[in-house]
């Protein structure tokens, strides 16, 4: 069964999409899931398009604008 279009990605979807990026960019934070997520949010511009999509529509890296 496929998730409905627009449905939130499952944990398995997120892992499949972002595992390589997490290892490449945030290996120091593994296995702490919160630290990995925080690291990936800071490096969102370096994530693969598939992984970046897991961070939700309309979410942008903070800190780059308005400074």
């Amino acid at each position: 069964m496929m998730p409905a279009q627009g449905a939130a990605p499952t944990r398995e979807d997120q892992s499949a999409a972002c595992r390589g990026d997490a290892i490449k960019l945030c290996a120091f934070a593994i296995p702490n899931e919160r630290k990995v997520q925080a690291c990936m949010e800071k490096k969102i511009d370096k994530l693969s398009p598939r992984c970046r999509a897991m961070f939700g529509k309309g979410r942008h890296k903070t800190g780059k604008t308005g400074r």
Side-chain angles (χ1 to χ4, degrees):
M1 190 184 246
M2 296 294 292
Q5 193 171 21
T10 65
R11 184 177 182 90
E12 291 81 21
D13 293 336
Q14 293 169 338
S15 292
C18 296
R19 184 174 288 119
D21 290 329
I23 292 169
K24 183 171 84 173
L25 300 170
C26 303
F28 66 89
I30 297 171
N32 186 315
E33 195 171 316
R34 285 188 206 162
K35 287 183 180 181
V36 171
Q37 183 175 351
C39 171
M40 293 179 82
E41 287 176 350
K42 287 179 184 176
K43 297 180 180 189
I44 200 161
D45 57 325
K46 296 180 182 177
L47 299 179
S48 65
R50 185 172 172 220
C51 181
R52 192 177 309 128
M54 294 294 129
F55 284 86
K57 292 180 181 178
R59 291 184 69 181
H60 299 283
K61 184 175 178 181
T62 58
K64 273 201 160 184
T65 58
R67 284 187 180 200

